[in-house]
Structure formats: structure tokens, C-alpha cells
Amino acid sequence: MDLGFGNTNQSVGNAAATTLLRATQAQEAAITSEISKYDALLDANDSELEKLRERRLAQMKAAKVQKTKWLEAGHGRYTDFLEAGQQPDVAKAFFEAAKVSNRMVVHFHRPTTRQCDFFHAALEQLAPKHPETRFVKINVEGCDDVREGGSGVGAKYLVEKLGIVVMPTLLIVKDRKAHHQLRGFDELGGREDFTVNELAFVLGGHEALTRREEEEVEPSFMGGGERGIEGVNSLRMMFAGNGRGVRRGGYDDFDEDE
């Protein structure tokens, strides 16, 4: 199939055509599924409709109860583990939160790293849209020393244990496991001007959240090859030990007594 790209770029044209075809087929399948649902409703009798209504009400009630639990656990907001007027053990707070929340996105940041501000702004918007995930931040400036702006006792321990070596880093915690790290902007096309929906798409790909409809559009940079990290402040912590890091499934269940 000649798409007019010439011999050199024919493979690129074929890949683009395949991607477009798959997207079209997925849309057609979704439409067909919706039509089938409406057809089933039209054919249903009163008894079946009543059962459908009861199931739907039960689902809505369960969803409301679950959302209430999430909000009580700190979901729906982008917050810091450091509570006002307190000097908590941030490591203990982290492990306790991982027991309660099945999914967390933890932003390891420092105020003097400008690139962290881009994630701050995006996560502030994502948190209320995704109550199924808890969004938190840990300031590693000065680490354990709150007088230097750090997040309190235990921050250094978390950085060492989890292998946090780049600022900013988004750690995805899923089912009490360190599931994946987004280090800098390398998974966002190396760009600081990524959109909130693009970040949601990437996080959703790592099962950190459930994508909404507007977040299902694949970002343009996904098919553009590797661009590397551009403009990222790569910080090698002096106390990071052997520098090992988590990219995916690097640690077993968390245990604050380790």
C-alpha cells in the first residue's frame, strides 16, 4: 500500500495507517456495543427493566460509599504528608497511607528545582478528577531536617529505599508495591509543556489511575521515538547508597518495620 511517503519513509506511512485503522476499529466497536445496550433495553420487559434499575441503584450506592472512603483517606486533593504545626515521621505516614490507598502517586520534589512546579500544577488538577487515586508530595530539600524545609523524619530513608535519584520523580504505588517511577519528563516526550490529559494518559498506562474519556487520546509524542530528558535537573543524592532505583516492581510489599 503506497501512501505517498516514498521508499525511505514507507514503513512510517504503514505504521501510521495501521494506528489509524486500529483507532477506527476501536471506535466502531464502542459504538456497536452502545447500540447493543440500547437494543437490549428496547426488547426488555418490565421485570427485566426493574432488575436492571435495581442493579444500577446498587452500583451507584456502592460507588458513593467507596468515594466517601477515598475522600476520608485523603483522596481528591494533592497534599503534603507534613501536617501544619507537626513534625511527623514521613516514612511511617507513607507506609500507613499505602495500606489504606490501593493507588498513590507520590511526587518527590524540592522547591529549588523549577521543573517540579510543572508536576505540582498538573497534579493539583488531576487529584479532584481522580478520587480513586491518592496524590501526595514529599519535599526532599534538606530531607529529614524540617528546619531546611524537608518533610521530616523518614524522608531520607524513603529516598534511599526507593532509589529516588532524579528531581522531579513521580512514584506510582499500587497494591502496597512501588510499581513504577516517572523520572523527570522522559515519558512525557522530554517536554515541560505537557498537558494534564497527557500526564493522565501516561499515568493511566501504568495503572496509577482510571482514565476519563478526554484522557484516552494518545499524546503525539508517544509515537515520535525517544527524545530523552530535556531540561531536567538530575540530582544524584549523596546519601543514595548504591543508587539503585525502582522502575517497575522493584520492591515487595512495604513494611515500615524493615
Side-chain angles (χ1 to χ4, degrees), residues 205-247:
H206 294 298
E207 303 177 332
L209 51 78
T210 302
R211 294 174 185 149
R212 297 161 67 105
E213 183 177 355
E214 67 273 17
E215 298 165 347
E216 286 286 1
V217 179
E218 183 175 287
S220 59
F221 56 75
M222 296 292 286
E226 296 183 1
R227 293 181 54 183
I229 303 176
E230 300 176 8
V232 175
N233 183 0
S234 180
L235 173 65
R236 291 283 170 180
M237 301 291 185
M238 290 186 295
F239 46 75
N242 59 14
R244 64 178 180 173
V246 179
R247 289 301 283 180

Side-chain angles (χ1 to χ4, degrees), residues 48-60:
E48 292 172 334
L49 288 173
E50 182 61 27
K51 290 179 181 179
L52 180 62
R53 177 177 177 275
E54 290 177 357
R55 286 199 300 269
R56 180 56 180 158
L57 287 174
Q59 291 171 352
M60 292 173 64

Side-chain angles (χ1 to χ4, degrees), residues 144-195:
D144 289 4
D145 191 348
V146 294
R147 294 170 300 179
E148 297 295 328
S151 287
V153 177
K156 176 180 177 180
Y157 171 78
L158 288 177
V159 167
E160 291 178 338
K161 180 175 178 64
L162 298 170
I164 306 298
V165 295
V166 173
M167 294 293 109
T169 287
L170 299 186
L171 172 69
I172 297 171
V173 178
K174 186 173 181 289
D175 298 327
R176 297 184 62 188
K177 288 180 171 58
H179 185 67
H180 187 75
Q181 285 186 18
L182 269 69
R183 294 172 172 171
F185 307 118
D186 56 344
E187 293 188 48
L188 293 163
R191 294 167 30 213
E192 297 176 348
D193 61 341
F194 61 86
T195 68

